[in-house]
Amino acid sequence: MDYFKQRRAYRNFKLYETDISIGQNDLYRELLDYANDEGKLDDEFPVKNSALVSLTGLSLSGLKTARNALQQLGLIKYEKGRKNSKAPVYKIIQLYGSMATNKATRETKSSSDRVTTVAQTVAIPVAQTVAHKELTSTDPDLTDTDSYDDDAGVTREQVINDWTNLWGFPNGVARPEIDEWLVAFKPELVAYAIQIAGEHDVQPRGALKYLRAVIKGWQQRKITTLAQAQQATADHDKRLANANNPGGYSKPRRKEVTPKWMQNGASQADSKPNSSDNQQDDMSDEDFLALVNGQEEAK
């Protein structure tokens, strides 16, 4: 199988044939790249579940869902493994040969001179060497069996969904930064940062700046776990409450995960910029975060 032809055929399949989710795409690309690296493009090959969970960022249940979808789409073959004795077995189904044959058949049927043509598929027995991202080296032993069921919790796909639910699908500026955050932090931490922004009613145009400030603050304080981030948020809220009511009782704030502009039925496109929005564009990330927090406390 020709790796590059398979890549092009898969890209065309995504563009013109059907929709592929982020999780399904990540799983297929990892399987394709691993098969090529191991010289198994035309053969079956074993890969343990925990390795694919680590490489794709999917949970175990998400992995199973994506795998089943790829099977139904005719992109892979899958043989279930046996716990503690045999890893699951995969095989990449060649796309470009069948596509070329179907195209040739259509052209032959429509030809006026009735000349029969046969599409030929040239097999390449030697796997091609293609640079693969460093993630494959994080778990070099990919074929061992799994001794337990692994669940990665929050996934990259869920982070994107959380962002989309609040502010619409991330644009070309926001998406690369989200990817950088997901490299620096676990997905559950990035999802928590998005949750904080939603609770503070951050508008779509200010979402990226707000998240930058939150992430930067965590990096400066060396926060790396969800528990640490939640404690830092609780400490911050407590300091604000004490500052506003030094000698009295402060009624806990009711936090709203869904911003008010969404609750009122407005869309992202309906949120119009005002003079304060223009001022926010000129603020530093830290000043912007302080401004939004201050506005929330004033409500």
Side-chain angles (χ1 to χ4, degrees):
M1 188 185 304
D2 187 304
Y3 175 80
F4 291 105
K5 287 184 179 180
Q6 183 73 1
R7 282 277 302 271
R8 286 193 292 270
Y10 173 63
R11 180 188 60 196
N12 291 335
F13 183 76
K14 290 192 298 180
L15 288 174
Y16 306 118
E17 299 292 330
T18 189
D19 293 329
I20 300 290
S21 72
I22 296 175
Q24 294 164 13
N25 182 70
D26 289 346
L27 176 58
Y28 182 80
R29 288 297 305 275
E30 289 296 343
L31 291 172
L32 179 62
D33 288 349
Y34 179 70
N36 180 71
D37 293 344
E38 297 298 315
K40 300 289 187 179
L41 282 173
D42 296 302
D43 304 316
E44 295 180 343
F45 54 93
V47 185
K48 61 183 181 179
N49 288 338
S50 61
L52 292 175
V53 166
S54 174
L55 293 170
T56 62
L58 295 168
S59 65
L60 185 60
S61 61
L63 170 65
K64 293 177 180 178
T65 300
R67 180 171 59 205
N68 182 63
L70 295 180
Q71 285 182 275
Q72 297 298 321
L73 292 171
L75 294 174
I76 64 171
K77 290 183 179 180
Y78 165 72
E79 179 183 334
K80 186 176 181 180
R82 292 190 297 274
K83 192 173 182 179
N84 297 327
S85 62
K86 180 183 177 183
V89 175
Y90 297 85
K91 188 177 190 302
I92 302 296
I93 297 177
Q94 183 172 315
L95 296 178
Y96 61 87
S98 59
M99 289 183 178
T101 302
N102 292 338
K103 181 178 179 182
T105 302
R106 290 194 299 269
E107 292 175 348
T108 300
K109 290 182 178 179
S110 62
S111 175
S112 60
D113 56 12
R114 298 184 180 179
V115 176
T116 302
T117 59
V118 179
Q120 295 180 328
T121 301
V122 179
I124 300 179
V126 180
Q128 297 165 303
T129 302
V130 179
H132 189 202
K133 53 182 176 290
E134 292 300 324
L135 282 174
T136 54
S137 64
T138 61
D139 190 354
D141 188 8
L142 303 184
T143 59
D144 279 356
T145 57
D146 295 309
S147 58
Y148 60 93
D149 290 336
D150 193 6
D151 190 344
V154 178
T155 66
R156 287 178 291 179
E157 185 174 9
Q158 182 175 332
V159 170
I160 298 300
N161 288 339
D162 289 348
W163 182 292
T164 302
N165 290 337
L166 285 173
W167 306 302
F169 193 78
N171 59 27
V173 177
R175 186 61 185 269
E177 292 205 41
I178 296 174
D179 290 338
E180 291 179 6
W181 298 336
L182 288 170
V183 171
F185 295 97
K186 293 182 179 179
E188 63 182 16
L189 261 180
V190 182
Y192 182 59
I194 294 174
Q195 176 187 332
I196 293 173
E199 291 171 350
H200 285 84
D201 195 25
V202 174
Q203 300 295 303
R205 64 175 294 150
L208 186 58
K209 182 178 284 288
Y210 188 93
L211 266 293
R212 285 172 181 164
V214 172
I215 296 295
K216 184 176 181 181
W218 287 348
Q219 291 174 327
Q220 291 174 341
R221 300 179 63 180
K222 301 186 184 304
I223 291 175
T224 58
T225 68
L226 179 59
Q228 291 173 336
Q230 291 172 332
Q231 185 61 51
T233 301
D235 293 343
H236 173 73
D237 291 343
K238 185 176 180 180
R239 286 195 302 271
L240 288 178
N242 291 336
N244 293 333
N245 298 278
Y249 171 75
S250 175
K251 183 179 180 181
R253 290 186 287 124
R254 180 178 63 87
K255 294 186 178 181
E256 301 176 358
V257 175
T258 303
K260 296 181 179 61
W261 62 269
M262 288 186 65
Q263 294 175 356
N264 295 332
S267 65
Q268 181 179 1
D270 294 332
S271 58
K272 298 180 181 179
N274 52 37
S275 58
S276 63
D277 289 331
N278 295 331
Q279 294 173 359
Q280 292 171 7
D281 289 338
D282 298 329
M283 290 183 176
S284 67
D285 294 342
E286 292 82 358
D287 291 340
F288 179 81
L289 180 59
L291 172 64
V292 174
N293 288 337
Q295 291 174 340
E296 176 69 15
E297 291 300 323
K299 295 177 181 178

Tab-separated table of all heavy atoms in Angstrom, residues 70-96:
chain	number	residue	atom	x	y	z
A	70	LEU	N	-15.280	3.811	12.566
A	70	LEU	CA	-14.321	3.567	11.482
A	70	LEU	C	-14.582	2.219	10.816
A	70	LEU	O	-14.410	2.076	9.600
A	70	LEU	CB	-12.894	3.624	12.021
A	70	LEU	CG	-12.414	4.978	12.555
A	70	LEU	CD1	-10.980	4.870	13.065
A	70	LEU	CD2	-12.512	6.056	11.474
A	71	GLN	N	-14.992	1.237	11.617
A	71	GLN	CA	-15.358	-0.058	11.042
A	71	GLN	C	-16.579	0.079	10.129
A	71	GLN	O	-16.593	-0.454	9.020
A	71	GLN	CB	-15.668	-1.057	12.154
A	71	GLN	CG	-14.478	-1.613	12.894
A	71	GLN	CD	-14.918	-2.625	13.933
A	71	GLN	OE1	-15.268	-2.296	15.058
A	71	GLN	NE2	-14.911	-3.881	13.534
A	72	GLN	N	-17.605	0.773	10.609
A	72	GLN	CA	-18.834	0.928	9.838
A	72	GLN	C	-18.586	1.683	8.533
A	72	GLN	O	-19.248	1.438	7.527
A	72	GLN	CB	-19.884	1.673	10.675
A	72	GLN	CG	-20.323	0.941	11.935
A	72	GLN	CD	-20.980	-0.398	11.620
A	72	GLN	OE1	-21.734	-0.520	10.663
A	72	GLN	NE2	-20.678	-1.403	12.438
A	73	LEU	N	-17.609	2.595	8.547
A	73	LEU	CA	-17.288	3.375	7.357
A	73	LEU	C	-16.386	2.605	6.387
A	73	LEU	O	-16.099	3.089	5.291
A	73	LEU	CB	-16.599	4.682	7.753
A	73	LEU	CG	-17.476	5.709	8.488
A	73	LEU	CD1	-16.624	6.855	9.017
A	73	LEU	CD2	-18.568	6.239	7.559
A	74	GLY	N	-15.929	1.428	6.793
A	74	GLY	CA	-15.078	0.626	5.928
A	74	GLY	C	-13.647	1.119	5.848
A	74	GLY	O	-12.954	0.871	4.859
A	75	LEU	N	-13.174	1.785	6.910
A	75	LEU	CA	-11.811	2.318	6.911
A	75	LEU	C	-10.820	1.362	7.563
A	75	LEU	O	-9.638	1.368	7.222
A	75	LEU	CB	-11.780	3.664	7.637
A	75	LEU	CG	-12.556	4.799	6.965
A	75	LEU	CD1	-12.582	6.030	7.855
A	75	LEU	CD2	-11.941	5.138	5.611
A	76	ILE	N	-11.282	0.558	8.513
A	76	ILE	CA	-10.395	-0.383	9.197
A	76	ILE	C	-11.118	-1.704	9.425
A	76	ILE	O	-12.348	-1.773	9.374
A	76	ILE	CB	-9.922	0.158	10.571
A	76	ILE	CG1	-11.126	0.313	11.513
A	76	ILE	CG2	-9.152	1.457	10.412
A	76	ILE	CD1	-10.736	0.619	12.954
A	77	LYS	N	-10.320	-2.732	9.666
A	77	LYS	CA	-10.832	-3.987	10.178
A	77	LYS	C	-10.319	-4.137	11.606
A	77	LYS	O	-9.213	-3.702	11.929
A	77	LYS	CB	-10.358	-5.165	9.320
A	77	LYS	CG	-10.985	-5.206	7.934
A	77	LYS	CD	-10.526	-6.434	7.163
A	77	LYS	CE	-11.185	-6.486	5.776
A	77	LYS	NZ	-10.737	-7.685	5.008
A	78	TYR	N	-11.120	-4.759	12.440
A	78	TYR	CA	-10.770	-4.843	13.866
A	78	TYR	C	-11.119	-6.219	14.415
A	78	TYR	O	-12.186	-6.762	14.149
A	78	TYR	CB	-11.533	-3.762	14.637
A	78	TYR	CG	-11.551	-3.968	16.132
A	78	TYR	CD1	-10.410	-3.767	16.905
A	78	TYR	CD2	-12.725	-4.364	16.777
A	78	TYR	CE1	-10.436	-3.947	18.274
A	78	TYR	CE2	-12.761	-4.554	18.158
A	78	TYR	CZ	-11.615	-4.339	18.895
A	78	TYR	OH	-11.636	-4.523	20.251
A	79	GLU	N	-10.183	-6.765	15.160
A	79	GLU	CA	-10.407	-8.046	15.842
A	79	GLU	C	-10.207	-7.834	17.335
A	79	GLU	O	-9.140	-7.363	17.767
A	79	GLU	CB	-9.426	-9.102	15.333
A	79	GLU	CG	-9.573	-10.455	16.003
A	79	GLU	CD	-8.542	-11.451	15.531
A	79	GLU	OE1	-8.055	-11.304	14.392
A	79	GLU	OE2	-8.214	-12.374	16.308
A	80	LYS	N	-11.220	-8.114	18.095
A	80	LYS	CA	-11.181	-7.883	19.533
A	80	LYS	C	-10.104	-8.711	20.210
A	80	LYS	O	-9.873	-9.867	19.872
A	80	LYS	CB	-12.547	-8.222	20.141
A	80	LYS	CG	-12.678	-7.877	21.609
A	80	LYS	CD	-14.089	-8.165	22.096
A	80	LYS	CE	-14.241	-7.800	23.563
A	80	LYS	NZ	-15.618	-8.067	24.066
A	81	GLY	N	-9.401	-8.098	21.166
A	81	GLY	CA	-8.369	-8.807	21.910
A	81	GLY	C	-8.937	-9.520	23.123
A	81	GLY	O	-10.145	-9.490	23.378
A	82	ARG	N	-8.055	-10.137	23.875
A	82	ARG	CA	-8.437	-10.826	25.114
A	82	ARG	C	-7.637	-10.235	26.251
A	82	ARG	O	-6.405	-10.102	26.162
A	82	ARG	CB	-8.193	-12.336	25.010
A	82	ARG	CG	-9.108	-13.040	24.043
A	82	ARG	CD	-8.986	-14.557	24.173
A	82	ARG	NE	-7.639	-15.008	23.838
A	82	ARG	CZ	-7.241	-15.284	22.601
A	82	ARG	NH1	-8.094	-15.174	21.585
A	82	ARG	NH2	-6.018	-15.685	22.371
A	83	LYS	N	-8.336	-9.854	27.297
A	83	LYS	CA	-7.701	-9.194	28.422
A	83	LYS	C	-6.578	-10.032	29.009
A	83	LYS	O	-6.718	-11.226	29.243
A	83	LYS	CB	-8.756	-8.897	29.502
A	83	LYS	CG	-8.270	-7.953	30.588
A	83	LYS	CD	-9.427	-7.581	31.505
A	83	LYS	CE	-8.959	-6.606	32.574
A	83	LYS	NZ	-10.073	-6.205	33.472
A	84	ASN	N	-5.438	-9.388	29.220
A	84	ASN	CA	-4.242	-9.996	29.819
A	84	ASN	C	-3.571	-11.055	28.943
A	84	ASN	O	-2.619	-11.697	29.389
A	84	ASN	CB	-4.567	-10.626	31.178
A	84	ASN	CG	-5.038	-9.607	32.191
A	84	ASN	OD1	-4.601	-8.460	32.178
A	84	ASN	ND2	-5.943	-10.015	33.059
A	85	SER	N	-4.056	-11.260	27.716
A	85	SER	CA	-3.422	-12.293	26.890
A	85	SER	C	-3.189	-11.868	25.443
A	85	SER	O	-2.227	-12.302	24.826
A	85	SER	CB	-4.265	-13.578	26.908
A	85	SER	OG	-5.557	-13.337	26.364
A	86	LYS	N	-4.042	-11.008	24.891
A	86	LYS	CA	-3.898	-10.652	23.483
A	86	LYS	C	-4.414	-9.245	23.241
A	86	LYS	O	-5.528	-8.897	23.643
A	86	LYS	CB	-4.670	-11.641	22.595
A	86	LYS	CG	-4.571	-11.344	21.110
A	86	LYS	CD	-5.408	-12.319	20.299
A	86	LYS	CE	-5.361	-11.977	18.809
A	86	LYS	NZ	-6.236	-12.877	18.018
A	87	ALA	N	-3.591	-8.415	22.565
A	87	ALA	CA	-3.999	-7.053	22.234
A	87	ALA	C	-4.947	-7.067	21.039
A	87	ALA	O	-4.915	-7.993	20.215
A	87	ALA	CB	-2.775	-6.198	21.914
A	88	PRO	N	-5.806	-6.066	20.915
A	88	PRO	CA	-6.671	-5.959	19.732
A	88	PRO	C	-5.838	-5.880	18.454
A	88	PRO	O	-4.713	-5.366	18.450
A	88	PRO	CB	-7.438	-4.657	19.970
A	88	PRO	CG	-7.401	-4.451	21.444
A	88	PRO	CD	-6.079	-4.991	21.887
A	89	VAL	N	-6.394	-6.376	17.352
A	89	VAL	CA	-5.690	-6.414	16.073
A	89	VAL	C	-6.422	-5.541	15.065
A	89	VAL	O	-7.655	-5.584	14.966
A	89	VAL	CB	-5.583	-7.862	15.546
A	89	VAL	CG1	-4.946	-7.885	14.156
A	89	VAL	CG2	-4.776	-8.721	16.519
A	90	TYR	N	-5.669	-4.753	14.308
A	90	TYR	CA	-6.239	-3.829	13.322
A	90	TYR	C	-5.664	-4.119	11.933
A	90	TYR	O	-4.587	-4.696	11.801
A	90	TYR	CB	-5.924	-2.378	13.691
A	90	TYR	CG	-6.516	-1.926	14.993
A	90	TYR	CD1	-5.861	-2.162	16.201
A	90	TYR	CD2	-7.737	-1.251	15.027
A	90	TYR	CE1	-6.401	-1.743	17.403
A	90	TYR	CE2	-8.282	-0.821	16.222
A	90	TYR	CZ	-7.609	-1.068	17.406
A	90	TYR	OH	-8.156	-0.649	18.591
A	91	LYS	N	-6.375	-3.649	10.926
A	91	LYS	CA	-5.870	-3.681	9.561
A	91	LYS	C	-6.441	-2.475	8.817
A	91	LYS	O	-7.631	-2.193	8.883
A	91	LYS	CB	-6.259	-4.962	8.818
A	91	LYS	CG	-5.584	-5.095	7.444
A	91	LYS	CD	-5.953	-6.414	6.777
A	91	LYS	CE	-5.112	-6.665	5.536
A	91	LYS	NZ	-5.230	-5.581	4.533
A	92	ILE	N	-5.569	-1.739	8.141
A	92	ILE	CA	-5.990	-0.578	7.362
A	92	ILE	C	-6.561	-1.061	6.029
A	92	ILE	O	-5.928	-1.850	5.321
A	92	ILE	CB	-4.808	0.374	7.094
A	92	ILE	CG1	-4.185	0.834	8.421
A	92	ILE	CG2	-5.268	1.566	6.269
A	92	ILE	CD1	-5.100	1.643	9.291
A	93	ILE	N	-7.756	-0.612	5.693
A	93	ILE	CA	-8.374	-0.977	4.424
A	93	ILE	C	-7.946	0.023	3.350
A	93	ILE	O	-8.092	1.232	3.521
A	93	ILE	CB	-9.913	-0.997	4.542
A	93	ILE	CG1	-10.336	-2.068	5.556
A	93	ILE	CG2	-10.555	-1.256	3.183
A	93	ILE	CD1	-11.820	-2.126	5.797
A	94	GLN	N	-7.415	-0.486	2.261
A	94	GLN	CA	-6.926	0.384	1.192
A	94	GLN	C	-8.082	1.132	0.537
A	94	GLN	O	-9.089	0.540	0.162
A	94	GLN	CB	-6.178	-0.461	0.153
A	94	GLN	CG	-5.558	0.366	-0.966
A	94	GLN	CD	-4.666	-0.482	-1.861
A	94	GLN	OE1	-3.869	-1.265	-1.361
A	94	GLN	NE2	-4.805	-0.323	-3.157
A	95	LEU	N	-7.914	2.446	0.406
A	95	LEU	CA	-8.966	3.289	-0.146
A	95	LEU	C	-8.740	3.644	-1.610
A	95	LEU	O	-9.667	3.595	-2.415
A	95	LEU	CB	-9.081	4.589	0.666
A	95	LEU	CG	-9.510	4.453	2.123
A	95	LEU	CD1	-9.516	5.824	2.787
A	95	LEU	CD2	-10.885	3.824	2.214
A	96	TYR	N	-7.510	4.014	-1.951
A	96	TYR	CA	-7.284	4.587	-3.273
A	96	TYR	C	-7.457	3.574	-4.393
A	96	TYR	O	-7.874	3.917	-5.489
A	96	TYR	CB	-5.897	5.231	-3.354
A	96	TYR	CG	-4.745	4.281	-3.131
A	96	TYR	CD1	-4.191	3.559	-4.181
A	96	TYR	CD2	-4.203	4.118	-1.862
A	96	TYR	CE1	-3.135	2.695	-3.969
A	96	TYR	CE2	-3.149	3.257	-1.649
A	96	TYR	CZ	-2.609	2.550	-2.701
A	96	TYR	OH	-1.570	1.693	-2.488
